Amino acid sequence: MIKKFWGKNFGVLKNFSVDLSALTLLVGPNASGKSTFLRALRSLAMLTRMPLYVPTGVLPIGYKATLGDFLSTKDPDQKIILGVEVENSAGC
């Protein structure tokens, strides 16, 4: 199970770290980053299953978007960082 999800420079999420549990609710006003948080989590999951570069040169992440569409700036040198802390079934 994912215990913590963090990242930097993913869309409007400049620097985030969220502790997760079996039930985690995302609550906030419109345009506060709830959907972007879920896209970041989905993007990280996709990266574990496919190469970063596909034949077209960009990684599609759904809704006709690519990973580059979620850079917090249009600076091509800006790095997106995503990470997780996991716990296995033995609680480790």
Side-chain angles (χ1 to χ4, degrees):
M1 181 171 131
I2 298 175
K3 300 300 283 182
K4 182 180 275 195
F5 179 49
W6 68 87
K8 293 182 180 183
N9 304 318
F10 194 91
V12 298
L13 304 175
K14 305 295 185 218
N15 189 4
F16 67 94
S17 178
V18 179
D19 292 321
L20 302 172
S21 64
L23 176 64
T24 302
L25 302 176
L26 298 176
V27 179
N30 290 344
S32 62
K34 299 178 302 288
S35 295
T36 303
F37 176 84
L38 295 174
R39 284 188 196 104
L41 192 57
R42 181 177 59 221
S43 299
L44 185 61
M46 288 181 69
L47 288 170
T48 65
R49 294 184 295 243
M50 65 181 1
L52 182 58
Y53 294 100
V54 292
T56 60
V58 295
L59 177 66
I61 58 173
Y63 301 106
K64 298 182 181 178
T66 66
L67 198 54
D69 294 330
F70 292 100
L71 285 170
S72 59
T73 68
K74 296 304 176 188
D75 179 0
D77 295 325
Q78 183 74 53
K79 293 181 181 179
I80 295 174
I81 299 171
L82 299 173
V84 293
E85 179 180 315
V86 297
E87 180 178 280
N88 64 21
S89 59
C92 302

